[in-house]
Amino acid sequence: LSFQQLKDRMKLERSPRLLICQGLKVPMLAGVIRPALLLPPEPLSQQELHCSLLHELTHFRRRDIWLRALALWVKALYWFNPLCWLMERLIQRDTELACDEEVLSLLSPEEHAALTARLPLLEEFGFAAEDFGGGSLIVRRAPFDVDPGDIEDTLLEIGGRLLTTGR
């Protein structure tokens, strides 16, 4: 599908500008006042481009860039408060997961099956998209194995992980 067809499919009255950006690895939406969909100079496969454009246009339609800009502004203002850092990270995670879930719901069953196991942002945040007969369910993967018989080591592992990675 062309960019115009994707825009029509998503019922967008207006769309972001399309720009090529050197040094970019994946497509992304940028700009609060005049949003632009930035594309990497290296060509993407047809399916990757299709899914990436759907994902970024979903961000555009949901106006996630405004929410994330507000979260960054609050984090900059209250940089000393760790809860603001956590809030900004959770907003980023949740907006990405919501877009991924919506994109999965827009895909045909064949596209859905091919893409479900390959969503990089889900993996980055420790999530997985499970395929249940054409629908999807995004589930949280356990970041560590919990052994109920050895709770002390498990708590130390959780604490160590939180200190080193923040998740």
Side-chain angles (χ1 to χ4, degrees):
L1 294 173
S2 71
F3 184 68
Q4 184 62 41
Q5 289 170 321
L6 286 176
K7 179 185 156 196
D8 293 343
R9 180 178 176 186
M10 297 185 73
K11 298 176 178 76
L12 295 174
E13 292 179 19
R14 60 186 200 100
S15 63
R17 298 169 293 148
L18 277 177
L19 301 172
I20 303 292
C21 182
Q22 296 298 323
L24 201 61
K25 299 285 184 214
V26 294
M28 67 178 282
L29 188 64
V32 175
I33 305 299
R34 289 192 60 215
L37 205 159
L38 306 176
L39 299 171
E42 297 82 26
L44 299 171
S45 75
Q46 188 69 24
Q47 184 181 20
E48 288 174 328
L49 182 61
H50 175 73
C51 291
S52 294
L53 289 176
L54 273 176
H55 179 91
E56 297 308 326
L57 287 173
T58 301
H59 277 304
F60 179 78
R61 189 181 73 231
R62 292 167 38 92
R63 296 179 179 91
D64 287 340
I65 202 154
W66 285 94
L67 177 62
R68 290 177 66 175
L70 176 64
L72 283 172
W73 183 82
V74 169
K75 183 174 127 180
L77 191 61
Y78 295 101
W79 59 268
F80 52 87
N81 187 338
L83 291 177
C84 288
W85 289 75
L86 176 63
M87 173 216 48
E88 189 267 336
R89 182 181 174 136
L90 292 175
I91 286 173
Q92 177 186 1
R93 183 197 69 188
D94 290 347
T95 56
E96 291 300 329
L97 290 173
C99 280
D100 286 342
E101 184 69 28
E102 190 167 331
V103 167
L104 287 172
S105 73
L106 294 171
L107 297 176
S108 70
E110 298 80 29
E111 292 172 315
H112 185 279
L115 184 68
T116 297
R118 296 180 18 188
L119 290 171
L121 284 167
L122 292 178
E123 291 295 324
E124 179 183 330
F125 288 113
F127 286 80
E130 303 294 333
D131 190 356
F132 292 103
S136 72
L137 174 65
I138 296 183
V139 295
R140 179 85 164 119
R141 286 193 179 152
F144 43 80
D145 293 326
V146 178
D147 180 7
D150 196 3
I151 194 70
E152 186 176 311
D153 285 347
T154 301
L155 290 174
L156 287 173
E157 184 179 350
I158 293 169
R161 184 172 177 90
L162 287 172
L163 286 173
T164 58
T165 66
R167 353 180 211 177

